[in-house]
């Protein structure tokens, strides 16, 4: 098969980690007889530096013409003082919305060989930790109207709008239930229905959709309680489905409890097969350019791309197995290093994964 991939290397460690993922994709292509064509796309801080805007139209066009998009990370202190609409993060939101990527899939899983890195007590993880957060990605507070203004008394005031309609809620609900069917068949819907109207609508729609999936166990949970349950007993969750902002916050928490945020991939999907795949960690400007960054989350994101966008399950599993093998052999980048293990650079880690395919 021949597939075109738009590549957003982005800022900070983005170019290094994406470089390693591309090596892995090329190797897997060679092994299984696929060819991947990579086209670099400017987005984020580097795009601001070169063109004056975080997401040039040309970048959107290339992504729309590609079969899928692989992204490293965007942003950094250099651009922190820019006004909201000109910041590198705007590129991410722009890409998500231009490509119609309403479903953000963020798995959190305890890697067997990295169990010691988990910051939770043994008791808390006695039921394991293998969950997926399905986050609505192009609605809610992120995309509602916002403004900062002086009120009638001259007091500076700001407003952000949280808005959802039932169609937006229903389509993300279906993604969660379909995903649960391929896993342990349990969906937890997270909201703040004791306060928010959007959450009450969310709950109503989720219950409606749940009736169509009698084989999937279903419960509601308030977001504050969910934040607590994630550290108390994360093993109770299989698929968590929630709105944009709650999903942003809970997915950082869920990744950190695995102890290895540098290992966690994500995918953002829309109606078609095109998706955007990226590690969930950021651009880590403090270690950029030193070949220290862990490329595994990006490599695993590339594996997700093969699985979800290209229907290449065998190839995806092959990459995931190679990563596990390298970890089992005791190789670690600095972020997941522990006593008795062999520390390697980011590029060595990439090479080891390729070697073990
Ligand atoms: C994420 C990030 C982004 C978000 C930022 C960088 C805009 O935190 O992907 O979780 O809030 O969605
Ligand atoms: Mg986030």
């Amino acid at each position: 098969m021949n597939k075109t991939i738009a590549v957003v290397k982005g800022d900070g460690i983005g170019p290094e980690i994406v470089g390693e993922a591309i090596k892995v994709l090329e190797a897997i292509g060679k092994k299984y007889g696929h060819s991947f064509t990579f086209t670099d796309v400017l987005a984020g801080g580097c795009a601001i530096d070169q063109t004056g805007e975080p997401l040039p139209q040309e970048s959107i066009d290339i992504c729309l013409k590609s079969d899928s998009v692989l992204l490293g990370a965007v942003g950094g202190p250099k651009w922190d003082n820019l006004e909201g609409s000109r910041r590198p993060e705007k590129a991410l939101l722009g890409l998500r919305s231009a490509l119609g990527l309403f479903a953000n899939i963020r798995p959190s899983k305890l890697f067997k060989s990295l169990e010691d890195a988990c910051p939770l007590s043994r008791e808390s993880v006695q039921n394991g930790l293998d969950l997926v957060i399905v986050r609505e990605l192009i609605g809610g507070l992120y995309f509602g109207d916002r403004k900062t203004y002086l009120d009638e008394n001259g007091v500076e005031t700001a407003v952000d709008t949280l808005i959802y309609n039932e169609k937006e809620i229903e389509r993300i609900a279906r993604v969660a239930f379909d995903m649960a069917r391929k896993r342990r068949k349990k969906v937890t819907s997270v909201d703040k229905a004791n306060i928010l109207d959007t959450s009450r609508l969310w709950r109503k729609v989720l219950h409606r959709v749940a009736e169509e999936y009698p084989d999937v166990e279903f419960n509601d949970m308030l977001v504050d309680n969910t934040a607590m349950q994630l550290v108390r007993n994360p093993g109770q969750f299989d698929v968590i489905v929630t709105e944009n902002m709650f999903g942003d916050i809970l997915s950082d928490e869920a990744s950190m409890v695995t102890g290895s945020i540098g290992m966690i991939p994500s995918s953002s999907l829309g109606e078609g097969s095109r998706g955007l795949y990226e590690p969930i960690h950021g651009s880590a400007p403090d270690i950029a350019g030193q070949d220290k960054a862990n490329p595994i989350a990006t490599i695993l994101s590339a594996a997700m791309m093969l699985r979800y966008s290209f229907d290449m399950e065998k190839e995806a599993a092959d990459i995931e197995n190679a990563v596990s093998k390298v970890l089992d052999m005791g190789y670690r980048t600095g972020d997941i290093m522990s006593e008795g293990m062999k520390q390697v650079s980011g590029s060595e880690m990439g090479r080891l994964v390729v070697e073990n395919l």
Side-chain angles (χ1 to χ4, degrees), residues 74 88-90 92-93 96 104 106 135 137 142 244-245 247-249 251-252 266 268 278-282:
V74 299
E89 288 80 2
K90 196 72 195 165
L92 260 187
L93 300 198
R96 289 169 181 172
N104 184 209
R106 298 190 160 179
R135 166 189 177 195
L137 202 58
Y142 279 61
N244 204 346
M245 180 80 160
D248 179 42
I249 298 168
S251 61
D252 265 28
S266 80
S268 303
E278 56 177 319
I280 103 147
H281 60 71

Side-chain angles (χ1 to χ4, degrees), residues 5-198:
I5 301 174
V7 178
V8 184
K9 291 184 177 149
D11 309 313
I13 58 171
E16 308 162 35
I17 53 180
V18 168
E20 298 311 313
I22 288 179
K23 282 185 208 158
V24 173
L25 282 171
E26 278 172 340
I28 204 89
K30 210 162 159 200
K31 179 167 171 186
Y32 288 88
H34 307 302
S35 74
F36 300 116
T37 312
F38 300 97
T39 309
D40 276 336
V41 170
L42 268 184
C46 55
I48 297 175
D49 289 350
Q50 289 184 44
T51 71
E53 41 183 333
L55 184 63
Q57 183 60 40
E58 194 197 350
S59 299
I60 300 179
D61 294 341
I62 297 174
C63 292
L64 283 170
K65 273 191 248 140
S66 302
D67 293 317
S68 209
V69 183
L70 181 65
L71 186 145
V74 299
K78 180 172 175 197
W79 306 281
D80 269 352
N81 294 322
L82 294 171
E83 170 244 324
S85 66
R86 312 220 49 87
R87 290 174 60 99
E89 288 80 2
K90 196 72 195 165
L92 260 187
L93 300 198
L95 272 177
R96 289 169 181 172
S97 113
L99 303 179
L101 306 171
F102 64 87
N104 184 209
I105 316 292
R106 298 190 160 179
S108 278
K109 193 176 159 172
L110 214 52
F111 282 80
K112 200 96 209 89
S113 46
L114 296 180
E115 264 171 6
D116 288 342
C118 174
L120 302 183
S121 69
R122 293 257 161 240
E123 193 200 342
S124 301
V125 285
Q126 62 188 351
N127 299 320
L129 198 186
D130 179 6
L131 59 88
V132 177
I133 294 185
V134 175
R135 166 189 177 195
E136 199 293 322
L137 202 58
I138 51 176
L141 278 170
Y142 279 61
F143 289 89
D145 288 340
R146 73 180 99 256
K147 66 173 177 194
T148 304
Y149 59 100
L150 296 180
D151 76 358
E152 62 275 19
N153 300 317
V155 178
E156 192 170 26
T157 307
V159 57
D160 296 283
T161 318
L162 173 45
I163 176 167
Y164 270 109
N165 68 45
E166 57 180 336
K167 292 201 175 110
E168 293 167 318
I169 300 172
E170 185 170 330
R171 66 181 180 183
I172 191 74
R174 288 187 191 286
V175 172
F177 280 97
D178 288 338
M179 175 138 310
R181 275 195 169 151
K182 294 186 200 143
R183 297 175 42 96
R184 301 194 309 279
K185 294 198 170 56
K186 182 173 178 196
V187 169
T188 302
S189 165
V190 172
D191 62 35
K192 189 71 185 170
N194 50 350
I195 301 288
L196 303 175
D197 263 18
T198 42

Side-chain angles (χ1 to χ4, degrees), residues 216-245:
V216 177
E217 190 188 337
F218 172 67
N219 68 325
D220 301 300
M221 197 175 278
L222 294 172
V223 62
D224 46 351
N225 184 28
T226 310
M228 193 254 282
Q229 297 297 336
L230 274 172
V231 290
R232 199 185 71 91
N233 174 18
Q236 70 187 286
F237 298 111
D238 178 21
V239 175
I240 291 176
V241 60
T242 191
E243 63 93 46
N244 204 346
M245 180 80 160

